[in-house]
Amino acid sequence: MASTARPASPLEVRGGVAPLRAGQGYSFFLRRLHSLSGIVPVGAFLVEHFISNAFATRGPAAYAKQVEFLSSFPFVVGLELFGIWLPILYHALYGFYIWYRGESNVAEYPWAGNWMYNAQRWTGAIAFFYMVWHTWHLRFTGIHLLSHPDAAFGKVQAEFQSPWAVAFYAVGILCASWHFAYGIWLFAAKWGITVGDKARRRFGYVCLAIGLLFVGVGAVTMYSFLTTPMEPAGATQVTLSSTMH
């Protein structure tokens, strides 16, 4: 009895990034919204957050002034809720859903695309839990920074008294930087901004540079908090020190 022989090796699958295509129900809209939200507003917030934290390199007074500037926006709580936290929550939860429904096939097909897929999912998950932890400790425990921005530098320094917190900050910065940089590359590929392997490869170097830049800025910022003499996380110390310069 004749039988069809199974291929000795898996069929070749061409590389590339699948574009966003219209599908059934709300899937197409939700995926477009997920892809776009990773750039605006979540990515834009990440850029602002890295820049604002980099003011720590200029000392406690400059950092306090930047925190005070951000907290002085009208309706700041509403802006954060609808412009930052809800978009981040949607991007994260729908990202987890995509991960749950997806198949990476890393073991069977150890190609770069599958490894990048897995890295994007894991870095996103770690970055999300890092942001939850970071926000809870700095915004909702201890002194209220919106009311006392002059205590911000010392409060971050107090976090860094634990080696585990320092390690988690470093991992969080690395994961957020990778996830955002590769997310830009995916966004350009999926939305048809970069067309063809050559264009995507060239843009990949640009995104790599963006990721390394973010890691570098984050590392220098952490170094500033770690090497500056300890500032009390009180509501007057930075204000007093700023008047002395």
Side-chain angles (χ1 to χ4, degrees):
M1 181 176 179
S3 60
T4 304
R6 299 182 62 184
S9 59
L11 295 175
E12 180 183 358
V13 179
R14 298 185 63 183
V17 177
L20 291 168
R21 299 184 184 280
Q24 296 180 350
Y26 295 100
S27 176
F28 174 66
F29 171 76
L30 293 177
R31 282 182 174 268
R32 272 193 175 272
L33 185 60
H34 176 263
S35 177
L36 181 61
S37 66
I39 306 300
V40 178
V42 177
F45 163 70
L46 187 67
V47 173
E48 179 278 319
H49 197 60
F50 269 71
I51 293 174
S52 294
N53 279 303
F55 276 82
T57 61
R58 300 175 61 183
Y63 188 71
K65 187 176 181 180
Q66 179 65 12
V67 175
E68 183 178 11
F69 168 72
L70 294 175
S71 62
S72 67
F73 280 86
F75 313 111
V76 63
V77 176
L79 289 173
E80 287 185 333
L81 178 62
F82 294 103
I84 299 174
W85 307 128
L86 289 180
I88 287 177
L89 186 63
Y90 168 75
H91 187 79
L93 294 182
Y94 197 74
F96 283 126
Y97 173 76
I98 294 174
W99 191 1
Y100 172 74
R101 294 292 301 272
E103 296 180 3
S104 60
N105 296 326
V106 171
E108 293 83 359
Y109 306 103
W111 299 331
N114 277 327
W115 286 107
M116 300 287 266
Y117 173 94
N118 253 15
Q120 186 69 351
R121 299 301 177 255
W122 280 105
T123 54
I126 295 171
F128 173 70
F129 288 114
Y130 162 75
M131 284 188 290
V132 171
W133 175 81
H134 174 65
T135 303
W136 172 257
H137 277 267
L138 288 184
R139 288 293 303 274
F140 300 106
T141 64
I143 191 167
H144 189 234
L145 296 185
L146 291 183
S147 303
H148 303 286
D150 49 351
F153 198 96
K155 193 170 184 179
V156 176
Q157 283 184 313
E159 288 281 293
F160 283 178
Q161 297 309 297
S162 168
W164 291 105
V166 174
F168 196 29
Y169 266 79
V171 171
I173 289 171
L174 181 64
C175 289
S177 300
W178 164 275
H179 192 79
F180 178 57
Y182 188 56
I184 296 174
W185 186 89
L186 285 174
F187 178 83
K190 286 179 175 293
W191 287 69
I193 299 172
T194 53
V195 180
D197 293 337
K198 188 175 182 180
R200 291 171 183 170
R201 184 168 56 252
R202 288 178 175 176
F203 190 59
Y205 293 119
V206 175
C207 294
L208 175 62
I210 292 173
L212 292 176
L213 176 62
F214 270 71
V215 172
V217 171
V220 171
T221 302
M222 285 188 63
Y223 181 79
S224 298
F225 283 113
L226 290 168
T227 57
T228 301
M230 190 70 184
E231 291 277 335
T236 59
Q237 178 65 27
V238 175
T239 301
L240 290 173
S241 64
S242 64
T243 62
M244 299 173 60
H245 294 283

